[in-house]
């Protein structure tokens, strides 16, 4: 699985927001995976998270305080 660099370059919105979303999603994935799943997973969590966000499998929104 490759990082979606092309999508990141072509992204026209706030890059900070999508970076924060990918970071948060990778944290969620790490916490949700069982230990044996982590051992079998051969990719990077940030790459998986970024692919999920760019493919709109996972959506994000900015919450204002």
């Amino acid at each position: 699985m490759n990082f979606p660099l092309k999508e990141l370059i072509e992204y026209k919105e706030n890059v900070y927001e999508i970076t924060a979303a990918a970071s948060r999603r990778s944290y969620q994935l790490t916490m949700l995976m069982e230990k044996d799943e982590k051992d079998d997973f051969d990719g990077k969590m940030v790459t998986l998270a970024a692919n999920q966000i760019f493919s709109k499998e996972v959506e994000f929104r900015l919450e204002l305080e």
Side-chain angles (χ1 to χ4, degrees), residues 13-28:
E13 303 297 320
N14 187 328
V15 175
Y16 173 79
E17 287 179 6
I18 201 150
T19 303
S23 175
R24 178 65 181 161
R25 180 62 182 155
S26 65
Y27 175 78
Q28 290 172 341

Side-chain angles (χ1 to χ4, degrees), residues 8-50:
L8 184 60
I9 291 170
E10 294 173 354
Y11 190 70
K12 301 297 181 204
E13 303 297 320
N14 187 328
V15 175
Y16 173 79
E17 287 179 6
I18 201 150
T19 303
S23 175
R24 178 65 181 161
R25 180 62 182 155
S26 65
Y27 175 78
Q28 290 172 341
L29 289 168
T30 301
M31 293 295 113
L32 291 172
M33 276 188 162
E34 299 293 328
K35 182 176 178 356
D36 57 336
E37 289 177 317
K38 288 180 190 174
D39 293 340
D40 292 339
F41 184 70
D42 61 349
K44 303 283 184 194
M45 290 297 170
V46 174
T47 300
L48 177 59

